[in-house]
Amino acid sequence: MHTSCEKASLEVCRQAAEYLKKGEIAAIPTETVYGLAADATNGQAVKKIFEAKGRPQDNPLISHISSMEMLPMVWRKVTPQAKALAEAFWPGPLTIILPRSELLADEVCAGLPTAAVRWPSHPVAQQVIALAGVPLAAPSANTSGSPSPTTAESVMQDMAGKIPMVVDGGTCEVGVESTVVSLAGQTPLLLRPGGVTKEELERVLGCEVKLSDAVLHQLQEGEKPASPGMKYRHYAPNARVLIVQGSSAQYCEYVKAHAEEGDCALCFEEDVKALSGIACIPYGKEGDGVSQAHGLFAALRALDEKHVKTAYARCPQQSGISLAVYNRLLRAAAFQVVQV
Ligand code: AMP
Ligand code: MG
């Protein structure tokens, strides 16, 4: 299949919406990462997403809307908590889970009684959804398991030949996937950290948001995660990634003592100077979660472009947006962390 990659314009958004209405799939930019979209009410179309990504069938998808009027197509009803979060953070990088509507294709929910929904802020995503006139199921537009794409070029690397079209909307602003919060249980549960922080959610809800165990810990054999996606190897480059936890000085010393030919430092910009003689791929600034989130996936992809053997990753903080960065890095590193 020939894949066209077109700079976003009204005409190109129309073309993408036409594909989607016909039951085809297309990659579109969002403010988090690029998404591989299909009509969320069309099961046959949604199946094509799973095929193109090689995504396990039991991993449900997020449905993307472009107005509150679309909510009855995805949820049975909107609760007061969901309304409060939607008013505070939509459009934006927050996904909310509630009991599903029967109008959604079963494939989107992967057998669960709930549906994950988000209203993205990216104008191109909004335009394509509005023109298609239906919620769009859209997981990240990468091969299952590899780092999520934050540019149209990265989408093309993974998806050329597998999908008809990529809409190029430039580099994604946030750079990591949306925060996922479930409101389907007794208390709000944070299933995946992202651009909207736990602290921000708690401020709006006026109650504690529980952090799902799987955010920071590896699931045990046979353990059932609240979010099916969390059990899979994720965001992983071919390189071996090792997280090194410590101050800048401790980190640099460790890397200098251990790095061999073909290895590199996946560090902060401030560390580069102290690491002279070592190949460096910086992924953001120290203490600045926004810049780290923005740079992480491109840095992980760069490891493979440079055929890096082992990458020693500087450990981000575990609060605010850095918690989202740490969560992705842990999975890229298969939970390998050394304390120095
Ligand atoms: P992605 O589409 O690749 O950004 O991944 C979506 C994430 O949301 C995955 O980790 C899914 O397992 C999770 N997810 C989607 N729908 C639900 C749901 N109904 N209940 C729990 N987790 C969900
Ligand atoms: Mg993904």
Side-chain angles (χ1 to χ4, degrees), residues 20-45:
L20 294 164
K21 284 200 274 192
K22 277 194 305 204
E24 274 303 328
I25 56 179
I28 59 170
T30 82
E31 73 277 23
T32 58
V33 301
Y34 273 74
L36 188 55
D39 175 353
T41 65
N42 178 342
Q44 290 309 317

Side-chain angles (χ1 to χ4, degrees), residues 64-75 129-130 132-135:
H64 295 70
I65 57 168
S66 61
S67 71
M68 295 297 270
E69 281 73 54
M70 280 185 171
L71 283 177
M73 297 172 90
V74 292
W75 286 337
I129 301 164
V134 284

